[in-house]
Amino acid sequence: MIIDCDSCVVRGLACGDCVVSVLLGTPPAIELDASEQRAIDALGRAGIVPRLRLEPVEKSA
């Protein structure tokens, strides 16, 4: 998974409640492997950190 905050449609609106911002600030892009994605999701489900709020922009064909 590549998280590109610059292409997130809720950037600015949801950054304060996004795990990426809480853990890393707002980076231009980060890449997470499957185990990192599962770990962040588990932390979010447990209420330890906010859930990932990424809403990528739909790319037209």
Side-chain angles (χ1 to χ4, degrees), residues 1-44:
M1 167 185 263
I2 297 175
I3 299 171
D4 181 357
C5 294
D6 288 332
S7 68
C8 181
V9 297
V10 293
R11 183 176 184 156
L13 298 172
C15 290
D17 193 29
C18 179
V19 67
V20 172
S21 297
V22 169
L23 295 178
L24 304 172
T26 47
I30 60 170
E31 191 167 342
L32 302 174
D33 64 26
S35 64
E36 292 167 327
Q37 290 176 50
R38 287 190 302 272
I40 287 176
D41 190 47
L43 292 171

